[in-house]
PDB file of all heavy atoms in Angstrom:
ATOM      1  N   SER L 299      13.050  -7.505   2.739  1.00 98.00           N
ATOM      2  CA  SER L 299      12.515  -7.399   1.377  1.00 98.00           C
ATOM      3  C   SER L 299      13.154  -6.213   0.678  1.00 98.00           C
ATOM      4  O   SER L 299      13.402  -5.174   1.298  1.00 98.00           O
ATOM      5  CB  SER L 299      10.997  -7.208   1.408  1.00 98.00           C
ATOM      6  OG  SER L 299      10.350  -8.304   2.006  1.00 98.00           O
ATOM      7  N   CYS L 300      13.389  -6.368  -0.605  1.00 98.00           N
ATOM      8  CA  CYS L 300      13.892  -5.282  -1.451  1.00 98.00           C
ATOM      9  C   CYS L 300      12.888  -5.123  -2.593  1.00 98.00           C
ATOM     10  O   CYS L 300      12.799  -5.994  -3.468  1.00 98.00           O
ATOM     11  CB  CYS L 300      15.276  -5.636  -1.992  1.00 98.00           C
ATOM     12  SG  CYS L 300      15.931  -4.455  -3.193  1.00 98.00           S
ATOM     13  N   HIS L 301      12.136  -4.043  -2.550  1.00 97.00           N
ATOM     14  CA  HIS L 301      11.118  -3.797  -3.565  1.00 97.00           C
ATOM     15  C   HIS L 301      11.758  -3.062  -4.730  1.00 97.00           C
ATOM     16  O   HIS L 301      12.372  -1.999  -4.546  1.00 97.00           O
ATOM     17  CB  HIS L 301       9.969  -3.010  -2.958  1.00 97.00           C
ATOM     18  CG  HIS L 301       9.381  -3.681  -1.757  1.00 97.00           C
ATOM     19  ND1 HIS L 301       8.469  -4.715  -1.853  1.00 97.00           N
ATOM     20  CD2 HIS L 301       9.599  -3.495  -0.430  1.00 97.00           C
ATOM     21  CE1 HIS L 301       8.152  -5.125  -0.637  1.00 97.00           C
ATOM     22  NE2 HIS L 301       8.819  -4.410   0.244  1.00 97.00           N
ATOM     23  N   VAL L 302      11.601  -3.603  -5.929  1.00 96.00           N
ATOM     24  CA  VAL L 302      12.278  -3.096  -7.116  1.00 96.00           C
ATOM     25  C   VAL L 302      11.249  -2.478  -8.058  1.00 96.00           C
ATOM     26  O   VAL L 302      10.249  -3.111  -8.395  1.00 96.00           O
ATOM     27  CB  VAL L 302      13.022  -4.233  -7.839  1.00 96.00           C
ATOM     28  CG1 VAL L 302      13.808  -3.688  -9.032  1.00 96.00           C
ATOM     29  CG2 VAL L 302      13.947  -4.960  -6.877  1.00 96.00           C
ATOM     30  N   SER L 303      11.495  -1.245  -8.487  1.00 96.00           N
ATOM     31  CA  SER L 303      10.585  -0.601  -9.431  1.00 96.00           C
ATOM     32  C   SER L 303      11.386   0.285 -10.376  1.00 96.00           C
ATOM     33  O   SER L 303      12.533   0.640 -10.097  1.00 96.00           O
ATOM     34  CB  SER L 303       9.525   0.221  -8.698  1.00 96.00           C
ATOM     35  OG  SER L 303      10.136   1.240  -7.922  1.00 96.00           O
ATOM     36  N   GLY L 304      10.754   0.649 -11.504  1.00 93.00           N
ATOM     37  CA  GLY L 304      11.409   1.509 -12.464  1.00 93.00           C
ATOM     38  C   GLY L 304      10.901   1.258 -13.868  1.00 93.00           C
ATOM     39  O   GLY L 304       9.999   0.447 -14.067  1.00 93.00           O
ATOM     40  N   SER L 305      11.497   1.952 -14.811  1.00 89.00           N
ATOM     41  CA  SER L 305      11.093   1.773 -16.201  1.00 89.00           C
ATOM     42  C   SER L 305      11.539   0.398 -16.693  1.00 89.00           C
ATOM     43  O   SER L 305      12.502  -0.182 -16.174  1.00 89.00           O
ATOM     44  CB  SER L 305      11.722   2.867 -17.059  1.00 89.00           C
ATOM     45  OG  SER L 305      13.126   2.698 -17.106  1.00 89.00           O
ATOM     46  N   THR L 306      10.836  -0.102 -17.694  1.00 86.00           N
ATOM     47  CA  THR L 306      11.170  -1.423 -18.233  1.00 86.00           C
ATOM     48  C   THR L 306      12.610  -1.466 -18.728  1.00 86.00           C
ATOM     49  O   THR L 306      13.350  -2.422 -18.483  1.00 86.00           O
ATOM     50  CB  THR L 306      10.195  -1.782 -19.359  1.00 86.00           C
ATOM     51  OG1 THR L 306       8.861  -1.801 -18.840  1.00 86.00           O
ATOM     52  CG2 THR L 306      10.537  -3.148 -19.948  1.00 86.00           C
ATOM     53  N   ALA L 307      13.016  -0.405 -19.417  1.00 86.00           N
ATOM     54  CA  ALA L 307      14.369  -0.366 -19.968  1.00 86.00           C
ATOM     55  C   ALA L 307      15.420  -0.407 -18.863  1.00 86.00           C
ATOM     56  O   ALA L 307      16.432  -1.109 -18.963  1.00 86.00           O
ATOM     57  CB  ALA L 307      14.548   0.890 -20.820  1.00 86.00           C
ATOM     58  N   SER L 308      15.177   0.319 -17.796  1.00 88.00           N
ATOM     59  CA  SER L 308      16.135   0.334 -16.688  1.00 88.00           C
ATOM     60  C   SER L 308      16.135  -0.987 -15.959  1.00 88.00           C
ATOM     61  O   SER L 308      17.197  -1.498 -15.580  1.00 88.00           O
ATOM     62  CB  SER L 308      15.797   1.468 -15.715  1.00 88.00           C
ATOM     63  OG  SER L 308      15.953   2.721 -16.330  1.00 88.00           O
ATOM     64  N   LEU L 309      14.963  -1.558 -15.746  1.00 90.00           N
ATOM     65  CA  LEU L 309      14.885  -2.821 -15.010  1.00 90.00           C
ATOM     66  C   LEU L 309      15.596  -3.944 -15.750  1.00 90.00           C
ATOM     67  O   LEU L 309      16.241  -4.793 -15.124  1.00 90.00           O
ATOM     68  CB  LEU L 309      13.430  -3.192 -14.752  1.00 90.00           C
ATOM     69  CG  LEU L 309      12.690  -2.336 -13.726  1.00 90.00           C
ATOM     70  CD1 LEU L 309      11.210  -2.656 -13.732  1.00 90.00           C
ATOM     71  CD2 LEU L 309      13.271  -2.530 -12.335  1.00 90.00           C
ATOM     72  N   THR L 310      15.515  -3.964 -17.053  1.00 90.00           N
ATOM     73  CA  THR L 310      16.164  -5.036 -17.808  1.00 90.00           C
ATOM     74  C   THR L 310      17.678  -4.919 -17.773  1.00 90.00           C
ATOM     75  O   THR L 310      18.383  -5.881 -18.089  1.00 90.00           O
ATOM     76  CB  THR L 310      15.687  -5.064 -19.264  1.00 90.00           C
ATOM     77  OG1 THR L 310      15.892  -3.776 -19.857  1.00 90.00           O
ATOM     78  CG2 THR L 310      14.210  -5.423 -19.343  1.00 90.00           C
ATOM     79  N   SER L 311      18.197  -3.759 -17.370  1.00 93.00           N
ATOM     80  CA  SER L 311      19.646  -3.590 -17.289  1.00 93.00           C
ATOM     81  C   SER L 311      20.231  -4.190 -16.016  1.00 93.00           C
ATOM     82  O   SER L 311      21.439  -4.370 -15.907  1.00 93.00           O
ATOM     83  CB  SER L 311      19.996  -2.102 -17.355  1.00 93.00           C
ATOM     84  OG  SER L 311      19.653  -1.429 -16.153  1.00 93.00           O
ATOM     85  N   VAL L 312      19.374  -4.474 -15.041  1.00 95.00           N
ATOM     86  CA  VAL L 312      19.839  -4.992 -13.755  1.00 95.00           C
ATOM     87  C   VAL L 312      19.938  -6.509 -13.844  1.00 95.00           C
ATOM     88  O   VAL L 312      18.928  -7.193 -13.983  1.00 95.00           O
ATOM     89  CB  VAL L 312      18.890  -4.570 -12.616  1.00 95.00           C
ATOM     90  CG1 VAL L 312      19.338  -5.206 -11.303  1.00 95.00           C
ATOM     91  CG2 VAL L 312      18.860  -3.058 -12.493  1.00 95.00           C
ATOM     92  N   ARG L 313      21.154  -7.031 -13.754  1.00 95.00           N
ATOM     93  CA  ARG L 313      21.362  -8.470 -13.917  1.00 95.00           C
ATOM     94  C   ARG L 313      21.471  -9.209 -12.592  1.00 95.00           C
ATOM     95  O   ARG L 313      21.190 -10.404 -12.516  1.00 95.00           O
ATOM     96  CB  ARG L 313      22.605  -8.712 -14.764  1.00 95.00           C
ATOM     97  CG  ARG L 313      22.486  -8.151 -16.175  1.00 95.00           C
ATOM     98  CD  ARG L 313      23.634  -8.573 -17.063  1.00 95.00           C
ATOM     99  NE  ARG L 313      24.893  -7.960 -16.667  1.00 95.00           N
ATOM    100  CZ  ARG L 313      25.989  -8.659 -16.367  1.00 95.00           C
ATOM    101  NH1 ARG L 313      25.977  -9.978 -16.394  1.00 95.00           N
ATOM    102  NH2 ARG L 313      27.095  -8.028 -16.053  1.00 95.00           N
ATOM    103  N   PHE L 314      21.875  -8.505 -11.547  1.00 97.00           N
ATOM    104  CA  PHE L 314      21.994  -9.103 -10.223  1.00 97.00           C
ATOM    105  C   PHE L 314      21.433  -8.129  -9.185  1.00 97.00           C
ATOM    106  O   PHE L 314      21.566  -6.922  -9.330  1.00 97.00           O
ATOM    107  CB  PHE L 314      23.461  -9.390  -9.856  1.00 97.00           C
ATOM    108  CG  PHE L 314      24.181 -10.325 -10.788  1.00 97.00           C
ATOM    109  CD1 PHE L 314      24.816  -9.847 -11.924  1.00 97.00           C
ATOM    110  CD2 PHE L 314      24.251 -11.687 -10.507  1.00 97.00           C
ATOM    111  CE1 PHE L 314      25.488 -10.702 -12.777  1.00 97.00           C
ATOM    112  CE2 PHE L 314      24.924 -12.548 -11.357  1.00 97.00           C
ATOM    113  CZ  PHE L 314      25.543 -12.062 -12.492  1.00 97.00           C
ATOM    114  N   ILE L 315      20.856  -8.679  -8.151  1.00 97.00           N
ATOM    115  CA  ILE L 315      20.529  -7.921  -6.951  1.00 97.00           C
ATOM    116  C   ILE L 315      21.335  -8.535  -5.811  1.00 97.00           C
ATOM    117  O   ILE L 315      21.298  -9.751  -5.601  1.00 97.00           O
ATOM    118  CB  ILE L 315      19.035  -7.959  -6.601  1.00 97.00           C
ATOM    119  CG1 ILE L 315      18.193  -7.307  -7.702  1.00 97.00           C
ATOM    120  CG2 ILE L 315      18.776  -7.279  -5.256  1.00 97.00           C
ATOM    121  CD1 ILE L 315      18.256  -5.796  -7.740  1.00 97.00           C
ATOM    122  N   THR L 316      22.031  -7.661  -5.083  1.00 98.00           N
ATOM    123  CA  THR L 316      22.909  -8.118  -4.009  1.00 98.00           C
ATOM    124  C   THR L 316      22.521  -7.448  -2.702  1.00 98.00           C
ATOM    125  O   THR L 316      22.177  -6.264  -2.677  1.00 98.00           O
ATOM    126  CB  THR L 316      24.373  -7.786  -4.345  1.00 98.00           C
ATOM    127  OG1 THR L 316      24.725  -8.446  -5.568  1.00 98.00           O
ATOM    128  CG2 THR L 316      25.317  -8.240  -3.253  1.00 98.00           C
ATOM    129  N   TRP L 317      22.582  -8.214  -1.649  1.00 98.00           N
ATOM    130  CA  TRP L 317      22.410  -7.677  -0.297  1.00 98.00           C
ATOM    131  C   TRP L 317      23.789  -7.385   0.287  1.00 98.00           C
ATOM    132  O   TRP L 317      24.644  -8.275   0.338  1.00 98.00           O
ATOM    133  CB  TRP L 317      21.670  -8.657   0.587  1.00 98.00           C
ATOM    134  CG  TRP L 317      20.198  -8.715   0.305  1.00 98.00           C
ATOM    135  CD1 TRP L 317      19.545  -9.626  -0.486  1.00 98.00           C
ATOM    136  CD2 TRP L 317      19.200  -7.831   0.810  1.00 98.00           C
ATOM    137  NE1 TRP L 317      18.210  -9.349  -0.503  1.00 98.00           N
ATOM    138  CE2 TRP L 317      17.959  -8.257   0.298  1.00 98.00           C
ATOM    139  CE3 TRP L 317      19.218  -6.723   1.662  1.00 98.00           C
ATOM    140  CZ2 TRP L 317      16.758  -7.619   0.590  1.00 98.00           C
ATOM    141  CZ3 TRP L 317      18.023  -6.082   1.953  1.00 98.00           C
ATOM    142  CH2 TRP L 317      16.817  -6.532   1.421  1.00 98.00           C
ATOM    143  N   PHE L 318      23.971  -6.157   0.716  1.00 98.00           N
ATOM    144  CA  PHE L 318      25.168  -5.729   1.422  1.00 98.00           C
ATOM    145  C   PHE L 318      24.783  -5.384   2.860  1.00 98.00           C
ATOM    146  O   PHE L 318      23.622  -5.113   3.158  1.00 98.00           O
ATOM    147  CB  PHE L 318      25.763  -4.474   0.766  1.00 98.00           C
ATOM    148  CG  PHE L 318      26.416  -4.710  -0.559  1.00 98.00           C
ATOM    149  CD1 PHE L 318      25.670  -4.733  -1.731  1.00 98.00           C
ATOM    150  CD2 PHE L 318      27.786  -4.891  -0.647  1.00 98.00           C
ATOM    151  CE1 PHE L 318      26.276  -4.937  -2.959  1.00 98.00           C
ATOM    152  CE2 PHE L 318      28.405  -5.105  -1.873  1.00 98.00           C
ATOM    153  CZ  PHE L 318      27.641  -5.123  -3.034  1.00 98.00           C
ATOM    154  N   ARG L 319      25.787  -5.329   3.720  1.00 98.00           N
ATOM    155  CA  ARG L 319      25.565  -4.831   5.071  1.00 98.00           C
ATOM    156  C   ARG L 319      26.774  -4.019   5.512  1.00 98.00           C
ATOM    157  O   ARG L 319      27.885  -4.218   5.037  1.00 98.00           O
ATOM    158  CB  ARG L 319      25.297  -5.981   6.042  1.00 98.00           C
ATOM    159  CG  ARG L 319      26.481  -6.915   6.275  1.00 98.00           C
ATOM    160  CD  ARG L 319      26.035  -8.085   7.156  1.00 98.00           C
ATOM    161  NE  ARG L 319      27.151  -9.013   7.410  1.00 98.00           N
ATOM    162  CZ  ARG L 319      27.009 -10.176   8.021  1.00 98.00           C
ATOM    163  NH1 ARG L 319      25.804 -10.577   8.432  1.00 98.00           N
ATOM    164  NH2 ARG L 319      28.066 -10.952   8.220  1.00 98.00           N
ATOM    165  N   GLN L 320      26.494  -3.105   6.422  1.00 98.00           N
ATOM    166  CA  GLN L 320      27.578  -2.275   6.962  1.00 98.00           C
ATOM    167  C   GLN L 320      27.307  -2.005   8.428  1.00 98.00           C
ATOM    168  O   GLN L 320      26.269  -1.419   8.776  1.00 98.00           O
ATOM    169  CB  GLN L 320      27.708  -0.965   6.187  1.00 98.00           C
ATOM    170  CG  GLN L 320      28.919  -0.157   6.588  1.00 98.00           C
ATOM    171  CD  GLN L 320      29.213   0.973   5.624  1.00 98.00           C
ATOM    172  OE1 GLN L 320      28.349   1.407   4.864  1.00 98.00           O
ATOM    173  NE2 GLN L 320      30.459   1.449   5.636  1.00 98.00           N
ATOM    174  N   ALA L 321      28.232  -2.442   9.257  1.00 97.00           N
ATOM    175  CA  ALA L 321      28.168  -2.185  10.690  1.00 97.00           C
ATOM    176  C   ALA L 321      28.987  -0.932  10.988  1.00 97.00           C
ATOM    177  O   ALA L 321      29.896  -0.587  10.232  1.00 97.00           O
ATOM    178  CB  ALA L 321      28.712  -3.379  11.461  1.00 97.00           C
ATOM    179  N   PRO L 322      28.698  -0.253  12.097  1.00 94.00           N
ATOM    180  CA  PRO L 322      29.448   0.964  12.445  1.00 94.00           C
ATOM    181  C   PRO L 322      30.940   0.698  12.518  1.00 94.00           C
ATOM    182  O   PRO L 322      31.378  -0.270  13.141  1.00 94.00           O
ATOM    183  CB  PRO L 322      28.871   1.337  13.815  1.00 94.00           C
ATOM    184  CG  PRO L 322      27.498   0.771  13.805  1.00 94.00           C
ATOM    185  CD  PRO L 322      27.602  -0.510  13.041  1.00 94.00           C
ATOM    186  N   GLY L 323      31.716   1.539  11.840  1.00 95.00           N
ATOM    187  CA  GLY L 323      33.157   1.408  11.877  1.00 95.00           C
ATOM    188  C   GLY L 323      33.731   0.329  10.984  1.00 95.00           C
ATOM    189  O   GLY L 323      34.940   0.101  10.983  1.00 95.00           O
ATOM    190  N   LYS L 324      32.871  -0.338  10.223  1.00 96.00           N
ATOM    191  CA  LYS L 324      33.335  -1.413   9.343  1.00 96.00           C
ATOM    192  C   LYS L 324      32.998  -1.085   7.894  1.00 96.00           C
ATOM    193  O   LYS L 324      32.143  -0.265   7.603  1.00 96.00           O
ATOM    194  CB  LYS L 324      32.706  -2.744   9.741  1.00 96.00           C
ATOM    195  CG  LYS L 324      33.122  -3.237  11.114  1.00 96.00           C
ATOM    196  CD  LYS L 324      32.653  -4.664  11.354  1.00 96.00           C
ATOM    197  CE  LYS L 324      33.143  -5.186  12.687  1.00 96.00           C
ATOM    198  NZ  LYS L 324      32.714  -6.583  12.921  1.00 96.00           N
ATOM    199  N   GLU L 325      33.699  -1.766   6.984  1.00 96.00           N
ATOM    200  CA  GLU L 325      33.428  -1.577   5.569  1.00 96.00           C
ATOM    201  C   GLU L 325      32.145  -2.293   5.158  1.00 96.00           C
ATOM    202  O   GLU L 325      31.738  -3.275   5.780  1.00 96.00           O
ATOM    203  CB  GLU L 325      34.600  -2.110   4.741  1.00 96.00           C
ATOM    204  CG  GLU L 325      35.875  -1.315   4.891  1.00 96.00           C
ATOM    205  CD  GLU L 325      36.949  -1.747   3.920  1.00 96.00           C
ATOM    206  OE1 GLU L 325      36.713  -2.723   3.172  1.00 96.00           O
ATOM    207  OE2 GLU L 325      38.013  -1.129   3.905  1.00 96.00           O
ATOM    208  N   ARG L 326      31.546  -1.785   4.105  1.00 96.00           N
ATOM    209  CA  ARG L 326      30.367  -2.444   3.559  1.00 96.00           C
ATOM    210  C   ARG L 326      30.773  -3.777   2.953  1.00 96.00           C
ATOM    211  O   ARG L 326      31.781  -3.866   2.249  1.00 96.00           O
ATOM    212  CB  ARG L 326      29.712  -1.545   2.503  1.00 96.00           C
ATOM    213  CG  ARG L 326      28.382  -2.033   2.000  1.00 96.00           C
ATOM    214  CD  ARG L 326      27.701  -0.990   1.149  1.00 96.00           C
ATOM    215  NE  ARG L 326      27.384   0.221   1.918  1.00 96.00           N
ATOM    216  CZ  ARG L 326      26.612   1.208   1.481  1.00 96.00           C
ATOM    217  NH1 ARG L 326      26.081   1.125   0.270  1.00 96.00           N
ATOM    218  NH2 ARG L 326      26.391   2.255   2.223  1.00 96.00           N
TER     219      ARG L 326
END
Side-chain angles (χ1 to χ4, degrees):
S299 298
C300 174
H301 304 279
V302 184
S303 61
S305 67
T306 300
S308 295
L309 289 171
T310 55
S311 73
V312 176
R313 298 188 291 124
F314 300 87
I315 297 285
T316 300
W317 284 97
F318 288 84
R319 67 185 180 187
Q320 187 167 20
K324 295 190 176 181
E325 292 188 356
R326 188 170 297 191

